[in-house]
Amino acid sequence: MSCTIIVGGFFGDEGKGKIVAHIAQEDHPSIISRGGVGPNAGHTVVVGEKEYGVRMIPSGFVYPDARLFIGTGVLVNPRILEQEIEQLDVRHRIFLDKRCGIIEEDHIARDKGDVYLSKKIGTTGSGCGPANSDRVMRVSRLAKDVPELQEFLIDVPLELNTAIDKGETVLLEGTQGFGISLYYGTYPFVTSKDTSASQIAADNGVGPTRIDDVVVVFKAYPTRVGEGPFSTEMSLVESDNMGIQEFGTVTHRQRRIGKWDGGMARYSAMINGCTQAAITGIDKIDKDCFGVKEYGKLSKIAKDFLKQAEEDIGSPITLISTGPELSQIIDIRGEI
Ligand code: GTP
Ligand code: IMP
Ligand code: MG
């Protein structure tokens, strides 16, 4: 019974969606609550032949018995929320905090129409930056001001803290990644809020003393979308030759690919207060590891990589993802 935060350790798109979905299936939380910026995020969850790309609903939706929350700090686009509620059939179990900030059409127009934001920073065009800016200027509408959201509104911190008091299992789901944090990332090439574990706790109104575990998700080959420095970036030719190509869930832009960055992993683990790490994309280190579900069946190349990564991170790697599908994972959390 615990409260766990899951966050991204590199530049976002580390595969948090898959990791959250797996933990939810295994640990049976009563609540999965989303923190982070808003619908600039796209979490991918692949279950069997079906692929979902969620921007508002927590990725843990695949576990049917959890209530799904959107935390106070998160920005909500009511149109995207409604589409996902319909598509995923979660109307009976989705709730959002009455104080969530609202993304208006004007925010999207300002995000896409501003050359500095859209070209120099390379934002997702989802309106998050302008909406957070209005929230700071105290002119934003909140969820409680939107008639069509009334049926979903609750006090998210009160529900979460009550569940924790009762000893229930709760997951707090982060979005984006450490390298694009407003505070700790490569400013100004960052998103409009901090993305570290402390922020995800604050987004949900759960105090630091109530968090038991922080799982930081890293990908074997980090990626970055949009502009900004990326010290271990490979050329497109190099990554293409290695058979590594990724496209964004929200903007469909091609993701820049880099090599493992041990220094960044360590610094990010420190600021996130990492207790356990997850590594995705081990099948990209060695194709023979695709779909492997037992640690003992990983190749020496993969095990050597994991040993080095664990030293860099400074915390145990307890989740090893070997492919995009939900069941392609090695979970050794019970063994530490
Ligand atoms: P943000 O919240 O937007 O930062 O995204 P995210 O961390 O949830 O990651 P996202 O789903 O955007 O990107 C991860 C991509 O890697 C998706 O296409 C996943 O299906 C895929 N993926 C996840 N784990 C693995 C893995 O172990 N191997 C491979 N090959 N792909 C994976
Ligand atoms: P914004 O958050 O749309 O303002 O975009 C600012 C920067 O953060 C851009 O480089 C985006 O590509 C990046 N970004 C925002 N959200 C995500 C995400 O969920 N995954 C990866 N990159 C993101
Ligand atoms: Mg993503």
Side-chain angles (χ1 to χ4, degrees), residues 13 42-43 249 255:
D13 307 322
H43 283 321
T249 318
R255 292 178 179 159

Side-chain angles (χ1 to χ4, degrees), residues 308-324:
Q308 179 60 51
E310 196 164 71
E311 258 171 49
D312 293 335
I313 296 164
S315 298
I317 295 170
T318 55
L319 292 157
I320 301 157
S321 176
T322 57

Side-chain angles (χ1 to χ4, degrees), residues 12-314:
D13 307 322
E14 298 90 351
K16 295 176 290 297
K18 173 185 170 165
I19 297 296
V20 171
H22 166 78
I23 296 178
Q25 295 270 45
E26 287 297 308
D27 295 7
H28 302 166
S30 61
I31 303 171
I32 303 155
S33 192
R34 185 152 168 168
V37 181
N40 50 351
H43 283 321
T44 312
V45 185
V46 183
V47 189
E49 304 282 292
K50 280 203 106 166
E51 179 170 327
Y52 304 92
V54 284
R55 297 177 58 188
M56 294 266 42
I57 306 281
S59 313
F61 73 87
V62 294
Y63 172 61
D65 295 338
R67 285 192 292 160
L68 306 170
F69 291 179
I70 298 177
T72 318
V74 180
L75 295 166
V76 171
N77 179 323
R79 276 187 305 107
I80 297 175
L81 178 69
E82 181 58 36
Q83 276 166 15
E84 290 186 0
I85 289 174
E86 280 299 309
Q87 188 194 341
L88 304 174
D89 194 18
V90 294
R91 189 172 295 276
H92 58 293
R93 60 184 179 117
I94 178 83
F95 301 93
L96 50 137
D97 192 79
K98 54 194 177 190
R99 296 152 290 194
C100 288
I102 295 297
I103 298 180
E104 315 281 356
E105 288 305 315
D106 168 60
H107 293 135
I108 297 172
R110 276 156 61 194
D111 201 0
K112 289 184 174 160
D114 186 295
V115 174
Y116 180 78
L117 289 177
S118 66
K119 294 283 183 299
K120 177 153 189 231
I121 307 296
T123 68
T124 58
S126 55
C128 290
N132 265 337
S133 158
D134 274 1
R135 199 170 180 179
V136 171
M137 295 304 281
R138 285 145 288 178
V139 294
S140 174
R141 274 202 309 167
L142 301 183
K144 67 180 170 56
D145 306 319
V146 181
E148 60 267 35
L149 295 180
Q150 298 304 310
E151 63 178 298
F152 306 114
L153 300 186
I154 57 165
D155 184 326
V156 162
L158 183 62
E159 296 285 333
L160 283 169
N161 283 284
T162 305
I164 296 169
D165 286 343
K166 287 194 211 150
E168 294 174 13
T169 297
V170 164
L171 300 185
L172 305 181
E173 172 176 331
T175 61
Q176 287 80 41
F178 181 77
I180 56 171
S181 158
L182 179 65
Y183 296 168
Y184 305 109
T186 53
Y187 188 90
F189 303 100
V190 292
T191 189
S192 52
K193 211 167 75 178
D194 179 28
T195 56
S196 70
S198 307
Q199 178 67 63
I200 304 305
D203 283 341
N204 286 291
V206 176
T209 51
R210 315 219 72 186
I211 309 299
D212 301 293
D213 255 316
V214 176
V215 176
V216 183
V217 185
F218 296 96
K219 66 206 293 194
Y221 285 100
T223 59
R224 176 161 201 166
V225 263
E227 302 306 313
F230 187 4
S231 61
T232 62
E233 184 170 11
M234 291 187 259
S235 70
L236 268 186
V237 176
E238 199 181 343
S239 49
D240 280 357
N241 284 343
M242 291 170 73
I244 308 177
Q245 233 184 18
E246 283 190 36
F247 294 88
T249 318
V250 175
T251 58
H252 308 293
R253 289 179 290 184
Q254 186 159 7
R255 292 178 179 159
R256 299 155 63 192
I257 315 262
K259 294 197 172 119
W260 176 259
D261 185 341
M264 181 175 181
R266 187 165 197 86
Y267 194 68
S268 153
M270 175 183 81
I271 289 181
N272 280 303
C274 178
T275 59
Q276 302 183 39
I279 304 270
T280 62
I282 285 299
D283 51 304
K284 291 179 178 169
I285 295 288
D286 180 354
K287 288 184 180 56
D288 287 345
C289 295
F290 183 78
V292 166
K293 294 177 186 175
E294 285 169 46
Y295 185 84
K297 293 194 174 154
L298 288 173
S299 65
K300 180 166 183 328
I301 301 170
K303 284 181 183 157
D304 286 348
F305 171 81
L306 288 165
K307 186 163 174 280
Q308 179 60 51
E310 196 164 71
E311 258 171 49
D312 293 335
I313 296 164

